[in-house]
């Protein structure tokens, strides 16, 4: 949805979206690989011969996840293309056991695409640090947020454009752009580190260690979890069964 | 220097500064430790007995850096307190072999302190991708940048305050704040990874692999290099002598 | 205790010991640093002002460990000098978030010092994979082990010496030396990774996730835990209180 | 080739081999992915559209490798099954940016398969530390090495068996086994870290920073390089062209 700001001189078309996503681009992942990697400790070079999962193998995966023997999950990799606002990218990149390549504000002119909370985004925070809860917010608060984002992002992007047009370098001009600006990024991560991401970046009350991530990074974690569950269903089920603990 | 924006309703005092810095908070670092760690390969447990650097030890350090045997530098650690705008923190945190704890826009109300390029910051970029050069910029361009930052940051911060005062959660409101907002961060890093940072984040033409970092992260890298040179002078000198290559 | 093997031609003095240890060589570690690093998220640059631990700070550390917010513990570093047999070094070096420099069989002639299980080392394993238990073993089994180590290590070292004296390179000759040969190593590790080591490499039944390490690496982990408890007593106590879980 | 040792009581069949190898088990790797990951910095989300390599793309890969912008190579992964003696595994596992699962001497009875230098293995080392060179060795030295390995490995394995048969735990008995015992291991590694391995673990005189690895780990590195060259020919060619430097 494109928006223009009435009553203002500049009329750059800017775009708002509340869609944050992680698309699976490539993977090298299977429950079988977990079993092979685990069996090498007892079977040595015969581990490689295994080509199909037996019931006993499924039991082994459960055992590994329950007893936190996580290293056999590391041979499974996922590459995602993530589209998310800068403030989400900032949180995501704190996960150091992964590889990232992101759009650059130094090398390209950034496009006027901004994240804005959707109508179902809970806006009001109650409780105290470490135990916040979120509640809906009034219609007025939703309208206010929409306006504020429209106004601030529009103004910032116009200012950015003004500087660019005056010949000022992109890397200087981008300083005024807000952290809700969308960015794009390739992320490659192994199943063990991915479990860490979804353990910390989704709020699942029945987890052994519940986490309280910002809603916006949950979208990324949800997409990642879907890909994980699809490619490695037994491992994912065991991860869930044993409290979503990633060590 | 505090600034107010004339002719606007809101008068939050916002602060601009062009000072970006990395203060050394603590360290466990010496040339001697490099020598001990290297000598263990040939001296075994007697490596520990060494308590003073000889000329031969200095030669050993040069040899290590020249031949890229870098692991003995990893036992040396530095903790910095970095004050820098978000766009610099973003670049810094791409260095994964380090530990970070940063100020949070979810857990605190962010202060209106913004980075703004100083008068000596070159504003205009010429050349093509990968080989940019920067030139000064006209006085008009400097004035324009100053105005644009004042205007955009002021507007963004007012909008942030409006949302907070309407009861909207900090983590939602902060979306409109620009990437030039100052943040604070503890960074702990070993000498090997630190050499990587200063190799990539300073522009030193006589380097074996010259790098073209954004000027603002160079301030951080310069401070880090000073601390490194002070605590580990022989290692630093060898790093410089052999082309500032960090592997 | 030096031993010679009667009735054999070669009489190289070889030494056996059952002492495996990790000596603290240097550290940059305190509970205060954990609090500073955690407080930066809410206090920004004022985090640095904190110079003494209050009761509230101690509560914060407990909160961090209970809720597995472990990153503030990463700014604390320990350097150990480890003396252990090769088979223990092999296990230790699987912990990738640490720095190592070890004695080299390529660059020095290895000394005839071997680990041999002490009299209190339980020799017999019962139960099934993943749930082994160890029991004492008979006096005969202890005598057998002592003899077997004496014989095999002596023979191997003589063969090593023979090859060296025939002009064969150290790196080729060392192939015959057993994994119980002692080695020396510098290890530098942060408190978070150290908690991971002691969580996995000590058997503490009341842990949330009990681990079943080989007895010999427990010696290393015990020494490391002592240093950790001494330098960071509040953090260590919280680690123990919340089940010795390291994430 | 199975060998028995005449004139000895025990007749366990033990096997010697001079073949060390790394078999490619799986991969997620292509030159195209390098280009996509690099282009995201300038093309944002359109980076994903690229499906074929143009000449300009090949030029980009050369540029990346020459200017050491290595992060775009990290999205490419290789899983190898490595069969190598323990002393090679020890060197390999020093590369921390990789995932490993190895055969366990605690969980299985180790098989009597030993590495022994082949006839073309240079046995004699001349020169001084850091600048060793290897020369062939006499026929007598080769015979001596063969005998020494046969004798020492046979003796060690018999002693291991004796202990096992006396009911002593595998993890205790394995202490006497030599570092030339073969082991098996899954290794998963990205292209950047793989370039680091082959840069350090192959001796290629025309490299910018020549390395002097032990011959036995070169076999592993050679196999890895073959897989790399096959799956990512343009990236590999650029790696070679620019001096085999991995940063």
């Amino acid at each position: 949805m494109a928006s223009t700001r009435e009553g203002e001189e500049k009329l750059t078309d800017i775009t708002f979206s509340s869609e944050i996503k992680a698309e699976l681009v490539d993977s090298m992942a299977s429950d079988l690989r977990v079993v092979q990697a685990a069996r090498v400790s007892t079977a040595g070079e015969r581990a490689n011969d295994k080509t199909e999962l037996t019931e006993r193998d499924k039991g082994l995966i459960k055992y590994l996840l329950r007893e936190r023997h996580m290293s056999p999950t590391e041979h499974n990799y996922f590459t995602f293309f993530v589209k998310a606002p800068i403030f989400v990218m900032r949180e995501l990149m704190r996960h150091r056991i992964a590889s990232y390549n992101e759009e650059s504000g130094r090398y390209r002119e950034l496009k006027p695409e901004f994240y804005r909370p959707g109508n179902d985004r809970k806006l009001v925070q109650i409780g105290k640090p470490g135990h916040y809860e979120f509640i809906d917010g009034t219609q007025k608060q939703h309208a206010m947020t929409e306006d504020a984002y429209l106004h601030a992002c529009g103004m910032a992007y116009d200012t950015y454009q003004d500087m660019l047009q005056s010949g000022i370098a992109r890397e200087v001009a981008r300083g005024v752009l807000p952290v809700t600006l969308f960015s794009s990024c390739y992320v490659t991560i192994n199943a063990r580190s991915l479990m860490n991401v979804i353990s910390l970046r989704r709020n699942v009350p029945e987890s052994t260690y519940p986490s309280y991530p910002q809603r916006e990074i949950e979208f990324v974690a949800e997409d990642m979890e879907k890909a994980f569950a699809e490619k490695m269903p037994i491992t994912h089920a065991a991860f869930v069964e044993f409290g979503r603990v990633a060590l």
Side-chain angles (χ1 to χ4, degrees), chain A:
Chain A
M1 89 199 113
S3 312
T4 53
R5 285 134 290 132
E6 291 173 50
E8 290 182 5
E9 284 171 72
K10 297 292 172 29
L11 290 163
T12 315
D13 265 357
I14 71 173
T15 307
F16 288 97
S17 165
S18 58
E19 197 190 9
I20 292 171
K21 63 188 173 191
E23 269 177 79
L24 185 64
V25 171
D26 203 351
S27 69
M28 175 176 88
S30 70
D31 292 316
L32 180 62
R33 183 58 37 79
V34 178
V35 173
Q36 287 176 326
R39 291 256 187 257
V40 76
S41 73
T42 52
E45 69 175 2
R46 295 190 324 275
N48 239 335
D49 300 342
K50 177 159 284 300
T51 56
E52 227 170 289
L53 280 190
T54 62
E55 282 310 305
R56 209 171 138 252
D57 292 335
K58 293 177 189 173
L60 173 62
I61 291 177
K62 288 180 71 159
Y63 164 79
L64 294 171
L65 273 279
R66 193 182 71 229
E67 305 286 320
R68 66 163 178 168
H69 297 306
M70 305 298 260
S71 65
T73 66
E74 290 184 27
H75 304 275
N76 295 281
Y77 271 87
F78 299 84
T79 297
F80 295 97
F81 189 79
V82 175
K83 190 170 175 193
I86 287 171
F87 69 85
V88 169
M89 291 296 187
R90 297 238 294 145
E91 294 190 323
L92 188 60
M93 289 185 186
R94 296 304 317 280
H95 296 271
R96 289 160 291 184
I97 304 179
S99 294
Y100 302 95
N101 277 276
E102 191 191 357
E103 196 175 335
S104 163
R106 300 185 68 207
Y107 296 127
R108 76 179 311 218
E109 185 183 317
L110 298 166
K111 301 287 164 249
E113 298 177 19
F114 299 90
Y115 169 79
R116 191 164 58 181
N119 286 327
D120 49 353
R121 208 300 186 187
K122 292 174 177 175
L123 293 182
V124 177
Q125 179 178 355
I126 55 178
K128 51 178 195 155
H131 298 283
Y132 292 127
E133 264 182 85
F134 276 82
I135 55 173
D136 251 359
T138 63
Q139 211 166 344
K140 201 177 143 194
Q141 284 171 323
H142 277 280
M144 208 252 162
T145 301
E146 194 171 322
D147 275 4
Y149 269 69
L150 175 60
H151 180 66
C153 296
M155 182 66 76
Y157 198 78
D158 285 348
T159 308
Y160 175 62
Q161 280 297 328
D162 285 350
M163 282 191 273
L164 293 185
Q165 276 152 37
S166 305
I168 290 160
R170 288 188 297 264
E171 68 180 36
V172 175
R174 58 107 172 242
V176 302
L177 293 174
V179 294
T180 201
L181 185 79
F182 269 109
S183 186
S184 302
C185 184
Y186 280 98
V187 181
T188 298
I189 190 165
N190 68 38
R192 184 180 191 175
S193 189
L194 190 156
M195 284 187 268
N196 192 263
V197 170
I198 61 185
S199 171
L200 290 168
R201 304 302 189 177
R202 288 200 60 191
N203 176 251
V204 179
E206 58 272 27
S207 302
T208 303
Y209 300 93
S211 195
Y212 302 92
Q214 181 156 348
R215 181 70 191 117
E216 281 77 12
I217 198 168
E218 277 200 293
F219 296 130
V220 174
E222 284 163 12
D223 282 359
M224 288 183 168
E225 184 159 0
K226 257 175 236 151
F228 175 43
E230 195 187 312
K231 298 289 175 188
M232 302 173 69
I234 312 292
T235 309
H236 176 257
F239 168 70
V240 170
E241 181 177 350
F242 298 112
R244 307 175 66 89
V245 178
L247 301 119

